[in-house]
Structures are given as structure tokens and as C-alpha cells.
């Protein structure tokens, strides 16, 4: 076990070593991870806790159950959660970073949703409704606004804020509606 603890620590910091032994510490069924993707397989459960950060330079794919607890999930590309999968946001933060276009597939309920990567484009599957239960932090720059787009031009996606209004800066939004509460878009384009 002494040899596993340092590996486990590195794994949670994002230096994901796809070791079955380490993965079994979190689940009774293997969860596959690499620096390019993180997948929770169908029938598997993964729980992120103790304010851990899961840093993925690529995609997060949820086919089983993912409980983000009070951790942080950082990714550069795709968030995929089919209807049969389960994501529990707890008090976690989902953060998109890097310059690659990111796409959010399926409906998810996040606690905190964050992107401060100037010029980043976030695509949302048309017809979906994302929920943000706490803070929605989007901050681009005047020269490089964060773009929010539907995966199908002229077909809307929705976002719901059940616990209060939100304020974002320097974003460019197209084909979206905010439900339940408002979003104040300062220095932004709609």
C-alpha cells in the first residue's frame, strides 16, 4: 500500500497512470483513464472527494456513475454523459480550459461551471438543458470572447439557474435560452 499512495496522489493531480490497481481503489469495476481521456464505464461508480482535482487534457466520458463530490474536474475537450449515465455534481467545479473547442453532450446538473480561457468555444448539444446550481463563471477578454454555441445552428440549447441570477463577462452567445433566472452578460454579444 505504501507504494500505491504516491501513485494515487499523482493520479489525482492529473498525471493519470492507467493502473488497474489504483483504479480499483475507487471502484469495484475498472475505470479507464489516461492523460487524453477519462472514462467511467457502464456499471462502474467513481467518486471524487477530499477536494481532489481530476485534470484531463482531453475528454470526460460518463457511461456509469460519476459523483464529483467536492472536487474539481478540469478538461480541455468533450464532456459526454448519455441519458442512461448518472452525474452527481455535489459541490464540485467543472472547468474547461485550453484552446480546443469543447462540446457538452447530454443533460447535466453542475454545481459550479467555469471557463476563463479567452477565445474558447463551448458547444452544447442542441435540445439539451444544462443546470448550474451555484456559480456560472465565464470570463473571456474584449479581444477573445468565450463562444457558447449549439451543435446545430439555429437549434437552441437551454441553461437553467435554479438558485439565482448569474453574471458573465466577454462572451458571445448564439442559440441559447437561460431558464428560471437571468444571466447578465457584461461586454458580451448575443
Amino acid at each position: 500500500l505504501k507504494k500505491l499512495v504516491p501513485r494515487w496522489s499523482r493520479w489525482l493531480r492529473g498525471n493519470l497512470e492507467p493502473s488497474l490497481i489504483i483504479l480499483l481503489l475507487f471502484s469495484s469495476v475498472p475505470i479507464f483513464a489516461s492523460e487524453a481521456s477519462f472514462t467511467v464505464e457502464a456499471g462502474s461508480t467513481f467518486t471524487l472527494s477530499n477536494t481532489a482535482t481530476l485534470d484531463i487534457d482531453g475528454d470526460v466520458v460518463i457511461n456509469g456513475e460519476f459523483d464529483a463530490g467536492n472536487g474539481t474536474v478540469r478538461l480541455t475537450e468533450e464532456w459526454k454523459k448519455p441519458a442512461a449515465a448518472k452525474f452527481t455534481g455535489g459541490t464540485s467545479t467543472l472547468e474547461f480550459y485550453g484552446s480546443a473547442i469543447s462540446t457538452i453532450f447530454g443533460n447535466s446538473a453542475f454545481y459550479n461551471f467555469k471557463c476563463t480561457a479567452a477565445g474558447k468555444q463551448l458547444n452544447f448539444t442542441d435540445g439539451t438543458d444544462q443546470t448550474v446550481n451555484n456559480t456560472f463563471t465565464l470570463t473571456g477578454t474584449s479581444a477573445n470572447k468565450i463562444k457558447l454555441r449549439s451543435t446545430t445552428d439555429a437549434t437552441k440549447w437551454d441553461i437553467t439557474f435554479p438558485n439565482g441570477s448569474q453574471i458573465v463577462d466577454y462572451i458571445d452567445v448564439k442559440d441559447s435560452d437561460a431558464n428560471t433566472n437571468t444571466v447578465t452578460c457584461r461586454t458580451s454579444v448575443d
Side-chain angles (χ1 to χ4, degrees):
L1 187 59
K2 279 184 172 181
K3 291 182 180 180
L4 291 179
V5 172
R7 281 193 205 159
W8 179 76
S9 298
R10 284 193 312 269
W11 187 78
L12 286 176
R13 282 195 312 266
N15 299 323
L16 299 175
E17 297 178 4
S19 168
L20 184 59
I21 295 170
I22 293 170
L23 296 173
L24 287 173
L25 289 172
F26 298 101
S27 175
S28 60
V29 179
I31 299 167
F32 302 100
S34 71
E35 289 186 12
S37 68
F38 176 82
T39 300
V40 180
E41 294 295 328
S44 297
T45 299
F46 179 83
T47 300
L48 190 62
S49 60
N50 300 322
T51 64
T53 296
L54 182 62
D55 194 352
I56 307 297
D57 187 5
D59 306 334
V60 171
V61 181
I62 305 168
N63 292 317
E65 294 185 26
F66 182 3
D67 182 345
N70 61 349
T72 299
V73 178
R74 298 182 74 235
L75 66 149
T76 59
E77 293 183 29
E78 296 181 349
W79 173 270
K80 295 180 181 179
K81 191 199 80 58
K86 181 180 179 187
F87 173 70
T88 304
T91 57
S92 67
T93 298
L94 178 72
E95 179 181 2
F96 287 90
Y97 69 100
S99 59
I101 293 174
S102 295
T103 303
I104 295 90
F105 293 94
N107 299 315
S108 292
F110 306 104
Y111 187 71
N112 296 313
F113 187 102
K114 178 179 180 180
C115 181
T116 57
K120 180 116 177 128
Q121 181 168 323
L122 300 173
N123 294 333
F124 295 83
T125 306
D126 63 88
T128 61
D129 183 10
Q130 308 305 320
T131 299
V132 178
N133 288 310
N134 194 40
T135 60
F136 185 58
T137 305
L138 297 177
T139 308
T141 65
S142 60
N144 292 296
K145 292 176 177 60
I146 295 172
K147 294 177 185 76
L148 305 181
R149 298 288 188 262
S150 173
T151 53
T152 304
D153 199 37
T155 305
K156 292 191 178 216
W157 61 276
D158 294 327
I159 191 157
T160 301
F161 305 103
N163 295 312
S165 300
Q166 303 290 324
I167 300 172
V168 296
D169 293 297
Y170 298 108
I171 66 167
D172 179 346
V173 183
K174 185 176 177 187
D175 300 322
S176 178
D177 280 328
N179 300 324
T180 310
N181 285 293
T182 61
V183 180
T184 300
C185 301
R186 298 184 297 210
T187 56
S188 299
V189 177
D190 182 10

